[in-house]
Structures are given as C-alpha cells and as structure tokens.
Amino acid sequence: MSVQHNRDPRYDILFEPVKIGPVTTKNRFYQVPHCNGLGYARPKSLAAMRGMKAEGGWGAICTEEVEIHPSSEISPYIEGRLWDHRDIPAHRLMTDAVHAHGALAGVELVHNGFHAPNRTSRLPPMAPSAMPVDAYDPVHARAMDLTDIRNLRKWYRTAAINARDAGYDIVYVYAGHCMTTLMHFMLSRFNHRSDHYGGSIENRVRLTREILEDVKDAVGDQCGIAFRFAVDELLGKEGMSSDGEAQDVVGMLAELPDLWDVNISGWSQDSSTARFEPIEGYQEKYTAFVKSMTTKPVVGVGRFTSADAMVSQIKRGVLDLIGAARPSIADPFLPNKIFEGRIDEIRECIGCNICVSGDNLCVPIRCTQNPTMGEEWRRNWHPEKIAPKVSEDAVLVVGSGPSGLECALQLANRGYQVTLAEAGTELGGRSTKESQLPGLASYARVRDYRTNLLQQKNNVEIYLDSELDETAILEFGFQHIFLATGSHWRKDGTGRHHHQPIPGLETIPTFTPDDLIAGQAPKGRVVIFDDDHYYMGGVLAEKLLAAGHSVSLVTPAVKVSAWTEFTLEQERIQAKLLNLGIEIITSQAVSAIKNGELELSCTYTGKTKYIAANALVLVTARNANDDLYQTLKSSPENLDAAGIKTLEVIGDAYSPGSLASAVYYGHLAARCFEGESWDAALFEGERPGLVS
Ligand code: ADP
Ligand code: SF4
C-alpha cells in the first residue's frame, strides 16, 4: 500500500537511498546509537521501541552500545550485550522489528576499557596503560599486553559474526565519547605505551585499524562497517581535536569503514542540552571536515528537528545521513511526517535530556515530549495511535499546562468532544512560563506542538481567561472533568531539608520562582536557597544576575543543581554559574533569619554562620493546586446532581514533578479514560519469575 504524501519537493533529497558498503538505507534518516535503560534487561521493550522508529520511517536504526565481553561491563547501567551466541535471540527481536518496516538495523559494538569498572563480572578492567578507572571505584585498569590485544581483536571479530547472525545490517567499531578502549588507545594522555601500539599517532591508531580490518574481513561482505569516532573533545591540544589529530585519524582510515559516524566528546557535549547548545546543527563546526577527507558516507548529529536544516546539511556537503538520537525519541515518526507533508505535526525535542536521565538512573527511557517512549511494549502505547472513544460523553479539561494540553489532545484524538478552560490569557502553563527563563526557550515546544494540533481540531473548544470554580464546573453539565490546575512553589522554606518553616522569614523580603517569573523584582543582594536540586535554582541565579543583582546560591547538596548530573548538565551548570560570578555555597542550608541576616547551617556538622542578604528566594518544594479538586470531591452528591460521572486530578495538581511527568500523567489519564486500567500494564512488565 503506498502512502499518500504531499511533500514539499525541497525535501525529496532526504528520501534518497544511501549505500553503506553492501547494504543500502532507504532514506537519509539515521537513528544513531543511543542508550535507553532497556538494554540487555528488557529485550522486548527494546525491540518494540526500536521497531516503532522503523515504523515511523527511519532508514536505519541502531542499538545502544553493546558490550562484546564481560571484561567490559558498566553495571549497574543497562546497555546492550553480545557476549556470545546465547545473546543472539534477544538481538533478533530487535532486528526483526526493524526489518519489518524496511529499515536497516545497526549494532554498536563496544569495549569500554578503563571506563568499565566491571562491578558485576569482577574482572580487572583493561587500558592501554595502567591507571585507575574513570569512576571513584577503588579499581585500577591494568595495561593490556599483546595477548590482551589479540583477545580484544578476537572478541570484536566474534561479536561481529554474532551480530551478523542476529540479523544486523550495520556493524560498528566504536571509538567515541572517551568511553572506549579504542579511543583510549588513540589518546596520548592515556596511551603511554612504548611498543608499536603507542607513541606516534600511527601507532595509537593501529589497534583501531586492525579491528576495523578484522570486522570487515569477518562480516564486511554482508554488513556495512560503521566507524563511530569523536573528532573533538573540546580540550584543545590536550585531546582529540578536529583541527589536530582527528584529521590524521580520518586521513589514515579514510576509506576503511563503509560509514563514518562522527560526533564530539564527552557525552555531555555530544548530547548537549538546549540550555547549553540552543541551535540545531551545533556539531557542524567540528565534524564538517570529515566529508572532505573520505568518499564514504558521513552521518552526524546536532538535535535536528527541522527539515530545512537537514536539507541544508546535505546540500552543503556537511553530512550524507541525518543522524538523530533525541529527535527520534521525541518523535519516532519524524521521517514519515516530513514524507507526508505534515511538518507542523513534528513533536520537536526540547533538548532537556530527561531521556538520558533514564539511562543514568538505570531505568527505562522516558521523554518529555513523547510520553509513549519506553512504553511501546509494556503499555502497548503507540505515539501516533490511540483507542477510539467508547461513549459520546463530553469532557472538560481545566488548566492548559503540559498535563492539561496532553490530556485534551489525546482525548480529542480519541474522538471525544473536549473543552479546555484556562484561567490565564496564554496556553501552556509552566511550559510557557519557564520558557522565559535563561536557556529554557525550547520548553515552549511542549506547548506549541500540542496547541497547534488542538487548534486544528473541530471537536475541541478552548477558552482562555476562564478561571473555573466549583459552581461553574457543576453548572456546565460535562460528564467528565479532568483538573490539571498545576502547582505553586512554597514560600515557607520547607522541602527536602526542612520539614518545618524556616523561622524569621517574615523579617526579610522573600520570593518564590513563581513570584520572579511573574515579574516581581527583589532589591539588592539576593540569596537563593535551592533545596530543589534541578534546574530552577540555577536559572533563577542567572536571571537575577542579568538583572544586576549580586547573587549567592545556597544548597544543602554538595554541588549545584545536583539532580542535573543525570541530564549531563551538572558540571556545565556549576562552571557557568562560577564563571558568571555567582557565589556558590554548598553543604549549607538557610536555617533561620536573625537580626536581618541569614543563618546558614552546615549539612554535616550543624555549625552555623551568618551572611547578609536583602532578599531571599526559596526554591524548595511545590504544593499541588488541588483545592478545586478537594472541594468538588468532598461533595459527591453535588457531582451526582450535576451529572458528573468522573472527576480526576492530573499532572502537577495531583503530584508536582517534572515537565515530563506532567505530560505523562496527562497522557495516561486520556488513555485510561473509559478504557485501560492505569496500573495493569505494570504487572505485565519484563520481570524475572520462576513460573514460565
Ligand atoms: P501541569 O504541569 O500539571 O500541566 P501547570 O502549572 O503547567 O500544570 O498548568 C496549570 C494551568 O492550569 C495553568 O495555566 C493555570 O493557569 C491553570 N489553572 C489553574 N487553576 C485553574 C482554574 N481553576 N481554572 C482554569 N485554569 C486553571
Ligand atoms: Fe528531547 Fe527531552 Fe525527549 Fe530527550 S527527553 S528526546 S531531550 S524532549
């Protein structure tokens, strides 16, 4: 069956096939390897997630890094494994799911060197030279001798053969992110060898060359051989750099792989959040040289979500294939939407790295924009399909934040008549408000994707400037009510550290994030007490500094924005705030206001000290705006009399959390409405059991 399309011919170039050695992709949309917290532990979930992207039109779909041997395992993180032939059936699930939609399946074979502390296998890690592992484990990697090198070559070769037998079309040799043995060999700061694998760049590249040749010899007649290489570590001459040794490496290996997959290192630079790299194509300045040095196709990334930017990369000779991890997570159907001329329906990645947090926390991937991500198998959710309505009942959604918008959109997709009421004069709730803060402009995409679609639907009515109270809701006559009324920041200092209000707050001008976003302006020297630990404290520090304040940020944690470690931002946030001149006071809590000064107490010793401040900003915890819900719920007889069959509270109004959780709960509520139970799927998960 052919798909109808109304595509702009300018985008035709994106649908041209590209030859990768003996295999050919059907188009230029290439999902590069990405971690996901599913890996070896949840093969059915993984296969369903990858298969969904193939259904959505991606021409090639790759695995995450796949460990080739137990001497390289990064537990507790859940990556792929192809230790021996017994892992083949699990990989078959993925390759079959991908092939079912005419896409190529690629596998990123990895040996992690001293990046792998081998916490489960308990084998000593290996490296070009002896050194501690790059985690704080009391573990050292030993220098590989020539037997180890021979073994590594053998493992790579065996894994490549197993990969081919598992159905993979593209087999990777991976030297990237400073997390791989091959990259460790290439970098002079790690490779202090005096044999012919150390010293000159030719020698340091030798092992990579040998393994590329081995893999090509083993499976190159049937599989395309991809080489993933980080061309710049942003360390200048201290590391691999695109105007230095990377040119030597590309020059030496130019025609050896069938595909160059190029990026930058470390991972936090490669998967930079929009807060630090707001522009798509941000890697071009590093990777652009590669195409001029090889005739082989080149794939690269840059959080590409716009068809025009993609075409520009191809036409200007920067890339041959548009690589994407996060854009394919946020919208598995991005290629099909371009193909079918539905560009305005693309669910654009906001660059928040909540997806990455799943991997870093060893739990299944999730996505702010795409609530179905990671739920394709467990909940049988499809990003573009939802069960049709089961009644003619009308639904009222109160509140147009991420949760209300997502709930309204999915209910409308099901065919229900939906009314959305918003108290304010703009749609979007916190996604609109927070998008005005430094570095968070892309958060508006959470609103824009949904409002664009909602406004096109003739079964949706949207009312702005419509704050609804109990009386209005009871009078309207809707049978079903979803309250997505959001949350507000607490003004008493309670949160994780304090479980009682901070004494003396009434003696100092005190502000919450809501106050500052609403335009209230403190005067003079401001102290932020950040007991939230995500992005809000840091971005408010930037905002206040830009407004001319002297700013200190006090946190009970040992570092600023501690949770952003999982979104790969923590080090960059701390460096940025320090470079801006914001004073950072860690391991301290604001414990009282006394005599016009802030009392700080040490998290470890309780010892106190005093600092001066003209104003205090409390970024501690949020309270659900659930008064309306509690009032309505407390009078079931009124609900009955009004003909209200269901009343639900969703998103932050139910339980304050991330943008991702607000969208997720809005989606879940719409899916479960007159349908599936919200928790049944969780009992069906991939879990070990003794009963077959
Ligand atoms: P969430 O993250 O759960 O979606 P937000 O705080 O982003 O929550 O959005 C909540 C939205 O609900 C805000 O735009 C707010 O103006 C709106 N809202 C709150 N109470 C009412 C009400 N009683 N009537 C209509 N809209 C409301
Ligand atoms: Fe993009 Fe955020 Fe989704 Fe990751 S979680 S794909 S960064 S929107």
Side-chain angles (χ1 to χ4, degrees):
M1 193 178 75
S2 68
V3 180
Q4 292 298 313
H5 70 83
N6 184 22
R7 180 174 74 240
D8 187 325
R10 278 183 304 153
Y11 306 141
D12 286 354
I13 195 169
L14 298 173
F15 296 92
E16 292 172 350
V18 178
K19 201 166 148 21
I20 302 172
V23 298
T24 303
T25 61
K26 64 179 175 185
N27 60 34
R28 296 182 190 268
F29 295 94
Y30 189 102
Q31 183 244 277
V32 293
H34 72 77
C35 302
N36 50 73
L38 301 170
Y40 70 84
R42 299 180 181 94
K44 291 180 190 166
S45 303
L46 185 61
M49 182 268 280
R50 301 290 190 203
M52 191 63 75
K53 298 190 194 190
E55 185 183 335
W58 296 86
I61 320 278
C62 299
T63 62
E64 61 278 49
E65 61 171 19
V66 170
E67 300 158 357
I68 60 172
H69 191 264
S71 63
S72 158
E73 56 87 11
I74 59 167
S75 53
Y77 303 104
I78 302 166
E79 310 305 326
R81 283 184 181 169
L82 195 42
W83 287 358
D84 66 18
H85 65 280
R86 283 168 291 190
D87 290 318
I88 290 177
H91 285 268
R92 262 278 168 210
L93 294 178
M94 185 279 204
T95 57
D96 286 348
V98 166
H99 290 156
H101 299 283
L104 299 181
V107 60
E108 185 185 49
L109 300 179
V110 68
H111 194 276
N112 288 112
F114 75 94
H115 179 65
N118 295 340
R119 295 171 179 133
T120 299
S121 74
R122 302 175 68 178
L123 295 175
M126 293 187 285
S129 305
M131 67 185 81
V133 292
D134 71 351
Y136 286 156
D137 300 51
V139 170
H140 282 63
R142 60 187 182 77
M144 291 170 72
D145 62 20
L146 293 182
T147 306
D148 295 318
I149 287 178
R150 265 196 303 279
N151 283 339
L152 179 62
R153 291 179 59 180
K154 194 177 72 195
W155 298 333
Y156 241 110
R157 191 183 175 93
T158 305
I161 291 167
N162 286 333
R164 177 202 60 200
D165 293 347
Y168 286 107
D169 311 285
I170 300 168
V171 175
Y172 268 78
V173 173
Y174 177 28
H177 290 138
C178 204
M179 296 173 179
T180 58
T181 309
L182 298 183
M183 183 134 186
H184 299 157
F185 266 80
M186 279 194 233
L187 297 172
S188 57
R189 69 181 186 278
F190 301 135
N191 183 341
H192 307 145
R193 303 176 72 96
S194 52
D195 62 6
H196 62 304
Y197 289 100
S200 67
I201 183 69
E202 286 82 0
N203 282 355
R204 284 181 275 128
V205 170
R206 186 179 309 280
L207 182 57
T208 297
R209 171 190 287 285
E210 288 174 346
I211 287 178
L212 273 167
E213 286 168 350
D214 291 342
V215 169
K216 205 159 187 181
D217 178 62
V219 300
D221 55 335
Q222 291 169 60
C223 303
I225 309 303
F227 179 47
R228 193 169 210 206
F229 175 49
V231 297
D232 210 307
E233 297 183 281
L234 315 192
L235 297 174
K237 293 281 173 254
E238 296 296 305
M240 189 62 70
S241 74
S242 47
D243 57 1
E245 285 194 336
Q247 303 219 355
D248 301 329
V249 176
V250 179
M252 279 184 257
L253 303 176
E255 301 300 312
L256 195 49
D258 299 314
L259 172 69
W260 281 87
D261 179 343
V262 288
N263 61 356
I264 57 175
S265 180
W267 189 17
S268 64
Q269 313 279 2
D270 186 22
S271 291
S272 181
T273 56
R275 186 168 168 188
F276 292 96
E277 293 288 357
I279 309 294
E280 65 186 299
Y282 58 90
Q283 300 203 10
E284 178 180 334
K285 57 180 176 288
Y286 306 107
T287 56
F289 79 91
V290 177
K291 245 190 87 59
S292 67
M293 298 185 72
T294 176
T295 65
K296 300 300 169 105
V298 177
V299 60
V301 292
R303 225 175 44 248
F304 293 111
T305 58
S306 100
D308 289 312
M310 296 176 197
V311 168
S312 163
Q313 293 283 313
I314 311 287
K315 288 213 162 146
R316 289 185 296 111
V318 181
L319 299 174
D320 299 291
L321 292 151
I322 302 302
R326 291 171 293 176
S328 75
I329 293 167
D331 197 340
F333 280 66
L334 183 151
N336 279 2
K337 288 177 184 175
I338 297 176
F339 188 81
E340 294 163 16
R342 298 188 290 129
I343 278 183
D344 67 325
E345 294 179 32
I346 292 173
R347 205 184 299 105
E348 288 187 291
C349 167
I350 69 166
C352 62
N353 278 5
I354 283 292
C355 47
V356 176
S357 76
D359 183 59
N360 277 331
L361 288 161
C362 314
V363 294
I365 188 168
R366 69 248 4 245
C367 170
T368 301
Q369 278 284 58
N370 175 11
T372 68
M373 176 48 51
E375 301 287 5
E376 299 84 353
W377 182 83
R378 183 171 70 169
R379 288 193 182 272
N380 197 22
W381 282 0
H382 189 291
E384 304 298 317
K385 294 182 194 160
I386 191 163
K389 65 181 178 182
V390 294
S391 75
E392 295 303 319
D393 288 357
V395 184
L396 171 68
V397 177
V398 182
S400 73
S403 204
L405 286 176
E406 176 67 14
C407 184
L409 176 61
Q410 297 307 336
L411 289 170
N413 284 340
R414 293 186 64 185
Y416 288 99
Q417 185 65 40
V418 179
T419 300
L420 176 62
E422 165 56 48
T425 53
E426 282 181 290
L427 296 172
R430 59 184 286 206
S431 58
T432 299
K433 291 179 185 155
E434 293 180 13
S435 69
Q436 294 151 24
L437 295 171
L440 304 187
S442 62
Y443 284 20
R445 290 178 170 185
V446 173
R447 172 199 64 201
D448 295 343
Y449 163 72
R450 292 168 177 82
T451 52
N452 172 49
L453 292 177
L454 279 167
Q455 280 159 355
Q456 294 174 39
K457 291 191 179 292
N458 53 20
N459 57 336
V460 175
E461 286 182 79
I462 301 176
Y463 296 95
L464 288 171
D465 219 354
S466 303
E467 181 160 4
L468 303 188
D469 59 12
E470 181 199 0
T471 314
I473 289 174
L474 291 173
E475 279 174 1
F476 278 142
F478 293 98
Q479 288 101 336
H480 306 278
I481 316 290
F482 290 92
L483 298 174
T485 45
S487 64
H488 61 276
W489 289 89
R490 295 183 70 118
K491 211 167 183 163
D492 62 0
T494 60
R496 289 170 176 79
H497 191 84
H498 296 302
H499 299 281
Q500 300 293 338
I502 297 174
L505 284 178
E506 66 287 354
T507 64
I508 189 169
T510 305
F511 301 85
T512 67
D514 297 320
D515 296 333
L516 298 185
I517 291 170
Q520 290 185 32
K523 291 196 174 66
R525 174 174 153 69
V526 183
V527 170
I528 297 172
F529 177 46
D530 183 2
D531 192 24
D532 175 57
H533 309 286
Y534 193 16
Y535 53 83
M536 188 56 78
V539 296
L540 289 181
E542 288 183 45
K543 178 182 164 72
L544 289 165
L545 190 87
H549 297 277
S550 147
V551 182
S552 299
L553 190 150
V554 175
T555 175
V558 292
K559 49 192 170 188
V560 164
S561 302
W563 197 80
T564 62
E565 185 186 323
F566 303 116
T567 58
L568 307 176
E569 294 172 287
Q570 196 283 324
E571 288 180 11
R572 297 179 84 175
I573 292 172
Q574 188 138 353
K576 181 166 191 192
L577 299 191
L578 287 169
N579 284 330
L580 286 171
I582 291 163
E583 184 188 25
I584 293 176
I585 304 173
T586 56
S587 305
Q588 300 281 335
V590 174
S591 47
I593 293 80
K594 290 184 180 164
N595 307 320
E597 288 193 313
L598 302 188
E599 179 189 84
L600 305 188
S601 61
C602 173
T603 315
Y604 295 100
T605 65
K607 216 167 141 185
T608 55
K609 63 181 179 185
Y610 293 87
I611 60 170
N614 303 110
L616 176 62
V617 176
L618 294 166
V619 187
T620 58
R622 285 179 285 155
N623 275 344
N625 296 333
D626 63 353
D627 290 352
L628 186 54
Y629 173 67
Q630 300 299 350
T631 308
L632 286 165
K633 192 178 134 196
S634 65
S635 306
E637 62 287 356
N638 288 350
L639 297 177
D640 280 348
I644 294 174
K645 297 182 192 167
T646 61
L647 170 72
E648 275 198 57
V649 59
I650 59 173
D652 289 329
Y654 184 43
S655 181
S658 62
L659 275 180
S661 65
V663 172
Y664 183 79
Y665 289 112
H667 190 93
L668 182 66
R671 288 260 181 193
C672 296
F673 176 57
E674 299 192 315
E676 66 193 56
S677 115
W678 64 271
D679 63 349
L682 303 180
F683 294 94
E684 303 295 325
E686 294 184 75
R687 57 180 184 176
L690 295 176
V691 183
S692 62

